[in-house]
Amino acid sequence: MSGSKKKKISKAERLKQLQEEEEKRRKEEEEARLKYEKEELEKLEKQRIESEKWHQLEEKDLQRRTEELGELNLLEGCFLEAEKLKRDTRSLSQWKHYLQCDGSPDPSIAQEMNTFISLWKEETNQTFEEVIEKSKLVLRLIEKLKLILMETPPFDLEDQNIIQYQGSILQLQELLHLKFNKATEILLRQASTLADLDSGNMEKVIQDENVTLYVWANLKKNPRYKSVKFAGTQIGFEIPRILATSDIALRLLHTHYDHVTPLHFVRTEQENSLLMTEAATDEVKTIEEPVNREDQEEYKAQASDSNLNYEDETKVEEQGVTEAQRTSEAIKGELEIRLLSESVSAAQLFLIENSTEKPDIYEDNEVDLCQFTTLGGVYHLDILELPPQCKPVKGWMIVQILQEGLQKFTYPPETVEDFEAESTFPPIEVTLKVHEKVIFFEDPMVVRWDAEGKHWRTDGISNVFYDAEDRLISFSLETFGPVTLIQDTHINMPFHSWELRPLEINNVLLTVTTIFTEIQIQIKENLCMLASIKLKGKEHISILEGKWMSPISFIIALKEAGLNIFPAGYSHFYVVMNNKTTSVEMKAYRQMALLSSAFAFGWSKWNIVCHYTKVIFKVREQPTEELTENPNWVLLMFSGDRAQRLKMNEESESFSEALQEGTEFHSTLYHMMKDIASREAMEKINSSNCQFIDSVCYMLLSTRLLSYS
């Protein structure tokens, strides 16, 4: 029984046990403390080594910064050379036009344009076909004038030339529309002779590459004839009884261009950004005299102190003047080069600067043309009073000519009771064909022109229906006038991803992927071409494919086709963007363009995570004879004055600015990539064409991939 009882522990044994446990605990704590201290020491030592290594790398970077920036400055001289070539091309344009001898005026010469406009005004009784033929030349002149305004950098444009070119554009646009109205009047005078045998009314369709005319004359005034459909099309009108019984004509003049929306003037903030350049230009003009005076006086003093005879003194004096002139010219030449280089950089920087003020606040129903873009041209819808008809009399055709010309039929009348308006003067149903060259990513919006307010409006239009398959849009319109279709300007922004990939030397492919489309742009030498478009993953055929154009002409063409991937200065008010410091962004694009013949660049998800003063993108060398396999992408971070290769990759779970082991800092992207580039890649970079580099840079500046992806 005593064996089954637990043995009692004496106080001494219990105390001993507690002491052992305490000793064990203290020992464990001491071991833990020593381990912690050791780890901390190791950690501090590691940090010290890393910090020391970091400072060594920074010091090394600083030591060679001047040399690297100097080498980069020489390489970036290609932008200056490209600008000089463009300037030479512009200066030779008048001579080239003269050599063409095609009888057309030079749009840049005011006298020739004034003569052309005056002579065309005097031409009368032109048929619609004749006006269409003449319009081809007029549209070419307008396009040339717009290109001059857009392609000529601000520092080469004088205010008087801007006013002259814009004035010529407006005169040509107004005169062209006036000629179409006169030709319509001449056509409608012959309506009775062109009447359809079945309906008794006149119907005429004239199609051209730039203009399409649909005109219907109500000769029979049959109250049951309310549906007007032009033969072979779905285009037409549903008219109310009052119009079906009136002496009217319906005209739909679809101009595939937009001469209604006001012109965007060239100079706004550019003047402010170029004040420095203008002041510096004055410096060039005023520097000659002081240099000449100082040098001449110095040489004269030297000559007078000498014991030479009069003839020798004269020779020395002349030699001194010559030397002074050479020195002055050398200084002036260097300064002009520096100023032109600064002007080119200022113009590039202006392309990516964000406007500080939001566009004007618009009235209700007024279209914000910064947020929306007109596409597919303008549909001029008019109800016209039918002019007196031609009458055959004894072998002659007699017609009464109205002095006031073609008159519009007011519908609805200006004075009408509200209760009568809805029943007697209901909205007119219109069906239009959407231009085949334009891409709408969503159903287009219909807007009408307000002639008094000089803007587009969304009111007065109802029952809009869009048939995407047949590209037909129908709607009800309260009053006739110009209408157009609009789309959100920034519908393809921000971009999902992008990639710039070299195909060969002076030839790259830029791919931009958005929520709706994938656009591939080929840049070769100083020209651009639309390589392909994918809509919803499927290839889409565009008339722009295969057409080589200058970068500015290409950007205009893409915008007019509805493929706008080019942010404007005000776009940040309408798009959630990853805004980067403009100077950093510009430097990145310039240096990417320098390397684009040999290296591919791509979008990185970490670019949106890093600080706004830094940009991150992927880069890799394209396969060459030396490098047959595609290397892995590496991540580069660039802050404008420092480039570094990052340790993390695109698949890393967290963001880190840690430097890739075995790599160094560099002041430029060029020298960063030079460390890992093959010999063949460097040869491609050094032999790249200056116009090609300039074109790639312009496209990168225009798309702003680092801020809008």
Side-chain angles (χ1 to χ4, degrees):
M1 189 172 179
S2 60
S4 63
K5 290 182 180 180
K6 292 182 180 178
K7 186 178 180 182
K8 289 184 178 181
I9 301 174
S10 65
K11 287 184 179 181
E13 290 176 336
R14 185 172 183 81
L15 182 61
K16 185 181 179 182
Q17 187 177 356
L18 289 173
Q19 287 175 346
E20 289 176 354
E21 289 177 357
E22 181 66 21
E23 185 69 24
K24 184 179 179 183
R25 184 182 64 78
R26 277 201 295 262
K27 189 176 180 182
E28 289 176 351
E29 287 180 353
E30 181 65 18
E31 289 176 353
R33 184 183 66 79
L34 292 172
K35 184 180 179 183
Y36 174 75
E37 288 179 355
K38 184 181 178 183
E39 288 176 351
E40 282 297 304
L41 287 171
E42 289 175 352
K43 184 178 179 182
L44 289 171
E45 180 64 15
K46 187 177 179 182
Q47 288 178 351
R48 186 191 66 78
I49 293 171
E50 288 180 354
S51 178
E52 188 177 328
K53 186 178 178 182
W54 186 274
H55 287 308
Q56 287 175 355
L57 290 173
E58 284 185 328
E59 189 176 342
K60 191 175 181 181
D61 180 35
L62 287 171
Q63 288 174 354
R64 62 189 176 197
R65 173 162 296 180
T66 303
E67 182 184 346
E68 289 187 350
L69 292 178
E71 190 175 352
L72 177 67
N73 188 49
L74 289 174
L75 290 169
E76 289 188 336
C78 64
F79 297 112
L80 186 61
E81 292 300 317
E83 184 56 44
K84 287 179 180 178
L85 289 171
K86 287 188 280 188
R87 185 178 278 185
D88 292 343
T89 302
R90 289 193 295 270
S91 64
L92 289 171
S93 61
Q94 289 187 1
W95 175 246
K96 288 180 179 178
H97 184 273
Y98 175 77
L99 291 177
Q100 286 177 353
C101 295
D102 58 359
S104 65
D106 186 334
S108 64
I109 301 176
Q111 294 85 346
E112 292 190 22
M113 288 303 298
N114 292 336
T115 302
F116 173 79
I117 291 170
S118 298
L119 291 175
W120 196 28
K121 281 181 180 177
E122 294 173 2
E123 294 181 17
T124 56
N125 299 324
Q126 287 183 303
T127 64
F128 210 92
E129 288 81 0
E130 289 172 337
V131 174
I132 283 179
E133 193 60 34
K134 188 76 171 230
S135 73
K136 294 176 181 177
L137 171 59
V138 174
L139 292 173
R140 283 199 303 272
L141 293 174
I142 292 172
E143 184 180 354
K144 284 181 180 179
L145 285 166
K146 287 182 177 179
L147 279 176
I148 290 173
L149 288 170
M150 295 191 71
E151 290 185 338
T152 308
F155 50 84
D156 278 349
L157 266 180
E158 295 184 7
D159 290 338
Q160 60 182 15
N161 289 336
I162 295 173
I163 295 169
Q164 171 199 325
Y165 300 152
Q166 291 176 339
S168 296
I169 290 171
L170 290 173
Q171 287 185 68
L172 289 171
Q173 290 178 346
E174 291 171 3
L175 183 57
L176 179 59
H177 194 67
L178 177 65
K179 289 291 183 179
F180 278 132
N181 285 342
K182 291 286 186 183
T184 302
E185 182 184 0
I186 293 171
L187 180 62
L188 288 175
R189 287 184 202 146
Q190 307 167 19
S192 57
T193 62
L194 300 172
D196 181 66
L197 295 176
D198 295 330
S199 66
N201 297 317
M202 188 272 273
E203 178 187 308
K204 185 79 172 176
V205 178
I206 301 175
Q207 287 186 315
D208 184 70
E209 58 181 325
N210 300 313
V211 178
T212 305
L213 173 72
Y214 302 88
V215 64
W216 176 81
N218 190 15
L219 300 172
K220 286 297 183 181
K221 295 181 280 294
N222 186 344
R224 291 177 295 181
Y225 198 91
K226 297 181 182 180
S227 181
V228 179
K229 294 288 182 186
F230 291 94
T233 72
Q234 294 296 315
I235 299 168
F237 312 92
E238 295 293 329
I239 59 175
R241 180 184 176 87
I242 190 169
L243 291 181
T245 57
S246 298
D247 234 2
I248 61 153
L250 298 176
R251 181 183 73 167
L252 164 56
L253 176 62
H254 180 198
T255 58
H256 303 169
Y257 48 83
D258 180 3
H259 286 175
V260 176
T261 304
L263 288 172
H264 291 290
F265 293 101
V266 173
R267 255 184 218 180
T268 52
E269 299 172 59
Q270 288 171 332
E271 291 180 343
N272 297 329
S273 67
L274 293 168
L275 284 175
M276 174 274 297
T277 305
E278 290 174 4
T281 305
D282 294 336
E283 187 182 344
V284 174
K285 295 176 182 176
T286 58
I287 197 172
E288 299 173 45
E289 294 181 5
V291 170
N292 286 340
R293 273 200 305 272
E294 291 171 9
D295 290 343
Q296 286 178 27
E297 288 172 4
E298 182 182 343
Y299 283 107
K300 284 178 181 178
Q302 291 174 356
S304 61
D305 292 341
S306 65
N307 295 322
L308 298 173
N309 58 28
Y310 179 75
E311 292 180 1
D312 291 337
E313 285 181 4
T314 305
K315 290 179 181 179
V316 170
E317 196 170 304
E318 290 176 355
Q319 184 182 359
V321 172
T322 306
E323 287 293 326
Q325 288 175 346
R326 288 175 184 170
T327 305
S328 173
E329 289 174 2
I331 293 173
K332 183 185 174 185
E334 289 177 7
L335 188 57
E336 284 180 343
I337 290 172
R338 180 170 64 83
L339 291 177
L340 181 58
S341 179
E342 289 175 359
S343 298
V344 170
S345 297
Q348 290 178 336
L349 191 63
F350 179 77
L351 284 172
I352 59 174
E353 280 184 346
N354 294 326
S355 298
T356 54
E357 296 181 5
K358 192 171 183 179
D360 296 335
I361 298 173
Y362 295 87
E363 300 175 4
D364 291 341
N365 301 314
E366 183 181 346
V367 176
D368 179 357
L369 288 177
C370 293
Q371 186 177 4
F372 295 96
T373 303
T374 63
L375 292 175
V378 177
Y379 302 86
H380 297 266
L381 300 170
D382 297 294
I383 306 174
L384 305 170
E385 293 181 2
L386 203 58
Q389 297 298 295
C390 296
K391 295 179 181 178
V393 177
K394 296 181 180 180
W396 293 82
M397 294 298 290
I398 298 177
V399 63
Q400 179 186 355
I401 306 296
L402 299 178
Q403 188 174 359
E404 58 271 21
L406 196 63
Q407 295 294 303
K408 291 187 178 181
F409 183 90
T410 306
Y411 178 91
E414 294 178 359
T415 55
V416 61
E417 298 293 335
D418 291 340
F419 66 88
E420 292 181 342
E422 293 184 7
S423 57
T424 312
F425 305 100
I428 300 173
E429 292 182 26
V430 182
T431 301
L432 303 175
K433 182 81 171 179
V434 177
H435 199 300
E436 60 186 9
K437 299 178 182 178
V438 177
I439 297 174
F440 283 96
F441 297 98
E442 293 179 344
D443 289 357
M445 296 170 59
V446 185
V447 294
R448 64 178 183 85
W449 179 248
D450 181 355
E452 291 183 6
K454 302 294 181 184
H455 53 246
W456 294 102
R457 299 184 64 88
T458 56
D459 57 345
I461 300 166
S462 57
N463 303 324
V464 180
F465 176 75
Y466 179 55
D467 181 353
E469 187 175 347
D470 293 329
R471 297 181 69 82
L472 293 171
I473 190 163
S474 59
F475 52 92
S476 298
L477 195 61
E478 292 179 4
T479 57
F480 266 31
V483 300
T484 190
L485 307 179
I486 61 172
Q487 180 170 252
D488 185 353
T489 303
H490 308 97
I491 195 166
N492 282 309
M493 302 175 206
F495 315 130
H496 274 191
S497 63
W498 59 271
E499 182 179 319
L500 180 68
R501 177 168 57 88
L503 300 176
E504 55 186 3
I505 189 168
N506 299 326
N507 192 349
V508 298
L509 187 69
L510 174 62
T511 303
V512 180
T513 305
T514 75
I515 190 172
F516 291 106
T517 183
E518 180 187 280
I519 301 172
Q520 289 192 328
I521 301 167
Q522 190 174 348
I523 306 169
K524 185 176 183 180
E525 302 293 340
N526 61 336
L527 298 174
C528 301
M529 179 191 75
L530 182 64
S532 72
I533 309 174
K534 286 183 181 178
L535 299 178
K536 298 177 181 178
K538 297 180 180 179
E539 292 288 339
H540 177 82
I541 299 174
S542 170
I543 61 161
L544 296 177
E545 289 182 38
K547 293 184 178 180
W548 291 98
M549 292 176 264
S550 68
I552 290 178
S553 298
F554 177 74
I555 289 171
I556 293 171
L558 276 192
K559 287 181 178 179
E560 290 178 349
L563 297 168
N564 189 359
I565 55 171
F566 308 99
Y570 50 76
S571 294
H572 62 286
F573 292 117
Y574 304 97
V575 182
V576 178
M577 64 174 294
N578 180 22
N579 194 19
K580 298 293 183 180
T581 304
T582 51
S583 60
V584 174
E585 197 176 352
M586 183 189 76
K587 288 178 181 178
Y589 295 144
R590 285 167 67 103
Q591 295 181 43
M592 287 163 67
L594 284 170
L595 298 165
S596 60
S597 277
F599 286 91
F601 298 88
W603 169 84
S604 170
K605 68 180 181 181
W606 301 116
N607 186 47
I608 200 169
V609 179
C610 69
H611 196 259
Y612 69 90
T613 59
K614 300 172 182 176
V615 293
I616 295 178
F617 46 84
K618 299 185 298 186
V619 62
R620 70 179 177 191
E621 184 179 338
Q622 281 299 100
T624 61
E625 292 180 4
E626 297 178 9
L627 191 70
T628 55
E629 293 185 3
N630 248 339
N632 294 326
W633 290 103
V634 297
L635 286 182
L636 288 189
M637 184 168 71
F638 184 58
S639 62
D641 56 3
R642 174 177 290 175
Q644 67 184 74
R645 183 175 168 184
L646 298 178
K647 187 176 182 179
M648 66 174 183
N649 56 39
E650 203 64 17
E651 288 72 37
S652 298
E653 295 182 357
S654 60
F655 175 73
S656 171
E657 292 189 5
L659 188 69
Q660 174 68 30
E661 294 176 5
T663 63
E664 299 178 347
F665 299 137
H666 282 282
S667 299
T668 72
L669 291 174
Y670 170 79
H671 293 91
M672 185 77 244
M673 301 316 300
K674 190 176 180 181
D675 283 352
I676 60 174
S678 65
R679 179 183 53 81
E680 190 175 344
M682 294 309 300
E683 288 176 358
K684 285 182 178 179
I685 293 167
N686 293 326
S687 57
S688 293
N689 182 285
C690 65
Q691 290 181 302
F692 162 75
I693 295 170
D694 184 68
S695 298
V696 174
C697 182
Y698 189 86
M699 196 59 62
L700 293 174
L701 289 164
S702 299
T703 50
R704 297 195 64 186
L705 301 170
L706 294 171
S707 283
Y708 280 87
S709 294

